[in-house]
């Protein structure tokens, strides 16, 4: 057996033992661990005397500490040596040594510290439409989690300064396969493998805890529902409150057009389709881009329609265009999305920046609805062109933040240019607004005709 090495540095003790690194984790022989930590070998196993007297008995399946048996996940024999998960052994060590032992995944060694863990509990709970991982801090501690959605099948959350000894792995639920808790000297890492039932995630960061929510894909939420009913629609009146949106001809503000059109559209859809319609705002107030999508997701909406007005330096530019979420192909598409995304600047300090990383996964969600969003955009564009005299600028695509967070077919309508004299005049007319509403409703009806079953 190789020599054991001891270090002592800045209150940390390092203990190296032979290690086998495998895809599912690091494995070390329990006997060499107990020997390296100075336990006495007895006829029936090992004897720990640091904290109190603990009889340690190792068998193929786990470890017995006095009368308590702990099952080891994935233990195995190799060349007549029994190996167990290093994280499992650090959990065992914490129960028998002075201080806390952690396995450092990067450096492949145990480190021991006398400091109390900064995290007091980690738990996973299925709350219906999502699975929540709650991490609570010790008194007076505040940590900053950093999410890294490295791939759709693996979410990694780093917690610098986070130390927790109780669990090394949590059973999964729904879209979460499991939660693997691993340490390095600088803190804790939560590895969260996801299955295809995951539809994105968000992090809520509070002073005493943080929560990682993994959202369930709709089909996972309603496995028994074969029929598809499209009768819950979210209408999003762009901008509002301190965010006027585009300001155009005669100081016409975009937010003052989007609201009356949204209100009229709600009335029409409820009356003619019997649909339930939810507005993201029904008065002149500010709503963040993230909250607009969240309102739709929480309601489990079937469609999301965001209403906006266009703007251009070129005062001759006019007409209507409808967008779905996809990479922009032209400078114009890019500039329209950049203009609308600027609304995020009004969100100031209150923006939950950690949530923005969720967009990477969210883009994949809108991919799931790409074809349907594209069709919805086409039907709405056709409808408005048929019912109004606005110029037809066609269906377009770009990366709008407000659409990214939506787990349903979602489109953004640019109903005309506030910067164009004639469009601006028309947009303010009640009867033209009614025509736009009629056109959008026609488009939605066509979508329902094609997709409802
Ligand atoms: Zn806008």
């Amino acid at each position: 057996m190789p020599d054991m090495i001891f270090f002592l540095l800045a209150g940390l003790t390092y203990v190296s033992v032979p290690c086998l690194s495998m895809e599912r984790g690091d494995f070390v022989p329990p006997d060499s661990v107990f020997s390296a930590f100075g336990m006495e070998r007895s006829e029936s196993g090992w004897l720990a005397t640091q904290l109190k007297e603990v009889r340690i008995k190792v068998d193929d399946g786990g470890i017995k500490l006095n009368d308590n048996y702990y099952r080891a996940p994935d233990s195995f024999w190799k060349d007549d040596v029994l190996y167990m998960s290093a994280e499992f052994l650090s959990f065992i060590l914490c129960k028998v040594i002075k201080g806390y032992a952690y396995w450092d995944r990067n450096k492949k060694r145990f480190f021991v510290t006398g400091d109390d863990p900064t995290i007091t509990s980690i738990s996973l709970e299925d709350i219906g439409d999502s699975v929540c991982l709650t991490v609570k801090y010790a008194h007076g501690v505040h940590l900053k989690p950093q999410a890294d959605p490295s791939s759709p099948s693996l979410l990694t959350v780093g917690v610098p300064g986070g130390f927790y000894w109780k669990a090394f792995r949590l059973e999964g639920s729904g879209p979460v396969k499991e939660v693997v808790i691993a340490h390095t000297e600088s803190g804790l890492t939560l590895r969260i493998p996801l299955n295809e039932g995951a539809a994105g995630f968000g992090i809520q960061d509070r002073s005493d805890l943080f929560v990682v929510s993994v959202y369930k894909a709709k089909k996972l939420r309603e496995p028994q529902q074969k029929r598809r009913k499209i009768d819950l629609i979210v209408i999003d009146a762009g901008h509002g409150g301190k965010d006027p949106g585009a300001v155009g001809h005669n100081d016409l503000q975009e937010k003052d057009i989007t609201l009356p059109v949204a209100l009229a559209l709600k009335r029409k859809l409820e009356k003619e389709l019997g649909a339930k319609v939810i507005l993201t705002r029904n008065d002149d107030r500010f709503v963040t881009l993230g909250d607009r999508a969240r309102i739709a997701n929480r309601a489990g909406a079937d469609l999301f329609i965001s209403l906006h007005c266009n703007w251009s330096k070129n005062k001759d530019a006019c007409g209507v265009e409808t967008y779905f979420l996809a990479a922009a192909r032209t400078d114009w598409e890019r500039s329209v999305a950049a203009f609308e995304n600027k609304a995020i600047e009004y969100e100031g300090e209150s923006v939950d920046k950690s949530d923005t990383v969720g967009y990477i996964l969210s883009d994949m969600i809108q991919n799931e609805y790409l074809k349907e969003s594209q069709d919805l955009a086409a039907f709405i564009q056709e409808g408005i062109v048929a019912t109004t005299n606005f110029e037809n600028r066609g269906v377009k695509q770009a990366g709008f933040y407000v659409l990214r967070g939506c787990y349903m077919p979602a489109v953004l309508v640019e109903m005309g240019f506030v910067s164009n004299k004639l469009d601006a005049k028309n947009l303010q007319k009640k009867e033209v607004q009614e025509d736009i509403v009629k056109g959008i409703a026609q488009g939605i009806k066509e979508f329902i005709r094609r997709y409802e079953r």
Side-chain angles (χ1 to χ4, degrees):
M1 194 166 290
D3 289 341
M4 313 309 162
I5 311 156
F6 284 81
F7 299 87
L8 188 63
L9 187 75
L12 291 178
T13 307
Y14 300 102
V15 180
S16 294
V17 291
C19 164
L20 283 176
S21 287
M22 309 178 77
E23 208 191 318
R24 60 186 200 273
D26 296 325
F27 291 82
V28 295
D31 282 340
S32 59
V33 173
F34 295 130
S35 150
F37 274 84
M39 317 282 165
E40 294 163 37
R41 199 186 265 281
S42 74
E43 64 238 48
S44 61
W46 295 89
L47 186 67
T49 51
Q50 273 194 35
L51 269 181
K52 52 183 190 273
E53 231 176 57
V54 182
R55 277 169 288 110
I56 305 171
K57 198 161 165 16
V58 180
D59 66 34
D60 290 9
I63 292 177
K64 199 171 169 190
L65 301 180
N66 289 338
D67 291 327
N68 297 317
Y69 188 75
Y70 299 92
R71 209 175 53 78
D74 308 332
S75 60
F76 61 88
W77 289 88
K78 188 172 190 290
D79 301 331
D80 288 332
V81 178
L82 177 64
Y83 285 81
M84 286 183 178
S85 150
E87 271 120 11
F88 169 73
L89 286 165
S90 64
F91 159 77
I92 294 291
L93 284 167
C94 287
K95 293 180 169 294
V96 297
I97 62 164
K98 247 185 226 150
Y100 299 91
Y102 302 94
W103 176 253
D104 186 331
R105 275 233 176 155
N106 291 347
K107 301 204 170 132
K108 309 294 180 202
R109 63 190 184 187
F110 290 100
F111 61 95
V112 183
T113 169
D115 295 338
D116 286 338
T118 51
I119 288 169
T120 55
S121 79
I122 302 180
S123 58
L124 193 71
E125 193 189 0
D126 192 322
I127 60 158
D129 60 355
S130 55
V131 174
C132 296
L133 179 70
T134 304
V135 177
K136 288 187 182 154
Y137 306 137
H139 182 71
V141 172
H142 181 64
L143 305 171
K144 195 77 200 140
Q146 297 160 354
D148 171 21
S150 16
S151 80
S153 59
L154 179 66
L155 169 62
T156 308
V157 180
V159 192
F163 293 99
Y164 180 64
W165 68 276
K166 271 181 192 154
F168 41 94
R169 189 183 294 246
L170 299 177
E171 284 280 318
S173 172
V176 174
K177 284 189 192 162
E178 63 174 348
V179 179
V180 180
I181 298 157
H183 285 91
T184 64
E185 276 166 46
S186 55
L188 169 149
T189 305
L190 300 162
R191 281 167 52 87
I192 310 170
L194 304 173
N195 61 34
E196 63 289 341
F201 72 94
I203 294 190
Q204 261 187 301
D205 197 1
R206 299 217 323 242
S207 61
D208 54 343
L209 58 83
F210 70 88
V211 181
V212 181
S213 301
V214 176
Y215 308 120
K216 293 182 188 173
K218 217 169 175 191
K219 52 182 175 285
L220 197 77
R221 273 184 265 158
E222 298 155 8
Q224 74 287 6
Q225 195 178 330
K226 292 275 189 296
R227 286 204 60 212
R228 180 172 183 192
K229 198 96 180 81
I230 300 166
D231 55 5
L232 179 53
I233 300 168
V234 168
I235 305 293
D236 173 46
H239 312 279
K242 61 187 171 184
D243 170 16
V247 179
H249 188 73
N250 282 345
D251 289 335
L252 174 61
Q253 298 192 343
E254 182 182 356
K255 68 170 183 175
D256 293 330
I257 303 299
T258 58
L259 182 60
V261 173
L263 291 166
L265 183 56
K266 174 180 160 76
R267 279 193 298 273
K268 188 165 185 81
L269 294 176
E270 286 179 340
K271 189 164 147 240
E272 293 186 4
L273 295 177
K276 180 165 187 238
V277 177
I278 296 171
L279 298 175
T280 55
R281 67 179 179 99
N282 51 21
D283 53 19
D284 183 21
R285 76 175 64 203
F286 180 75
V287 183
T288 67
L289 296 177
D291 279 345
R292 292 168 193 263
R294 267 189 286 275
I295 288 168
N297 293 337
R298 292 214 175 116
D302 302 309
L303 301 177
F304 180 87
I305 293 154
S306 189
L307 301 176
H308 288 260
C309 298
N310 231 327
W311 184 91
S312 173
K313 272 203 306 251
N314 171 11
K315 300 287 171 277
D316 293 331
C318 63
V320 57
E321 53 195 23
T322 307
Y323 282 83
F324 61 96
L325 181 73
R329 297 161 307 182
T330 65
D331 286 344
W332 171 252
E333 288 173 338
R334 243 183 305 280
S335 72
V336 172
F339 192 96
E340 299 295 4
N341 291 344
K342 272 206 311 214
I344 210 159
E345 289 171 11
Y346 289 95
E347 297 180 13
E349 285 301 303
S350 68
V351 193
D352 184 0
K353 293 278 191 277
S354 58
D355 222 28
T356 54
V357 292
Y359 283 143
I360 299 172
L361 274 182
S362 303
D363 268 355
M364 295 169 190
I365 303 315
Q366 265 299 306
N367 271 344
E368 190 184 330
Y369 300 110
L370 182 66
K371 171 76 172 65
E372 295 190 7
S373 295
Q374 193 173 0
D375 283 351
L376 180 61
F379 299 149
I380 288 178
Q381 179 71 16
E382 264 170 45
I384 300 177
V385 168
T387 55
T388 67
N389 292 319
F390 284 110
E391 190 181 305
N392 183 3
R393 298 174 62 93
V395 170
K396 294 190 158 57
Q397 60 187 65
F400 294 93
Y401 290 161
V402 69
L403 301 184
R404 281 184 179 180
C406 294
Y407 305 148
M408 70 224 46
V411 299
L412 185 144
V413 188
E414 294 284 0
M415 307 181 286
F417 283 70
V418 290
S419 50
N420 176 269
K421 196 173 165 184
L422 185 62
D423 271 11
K425 204 173 126 199
N426 280 327
L427 282 167
Q428 292 173 86
K429 287 185 185 157
K430 266 271 157 306
E431 59 272 25
V432 174
Q433 291 181 1
E434 282 299 333
D435 289 342
I436 294 172
V437 162
K438 203 166 143 192
I440 296 174
Q442 271 184 22
I444 292 172
K445 278 182 207 166
E446 180 58 22
F447 183 88
I448 292 174
R449 200 180 66 75
R450 300 277 181 100
Y451 282 102
E452 202 170 70
R453 32 171 211 274

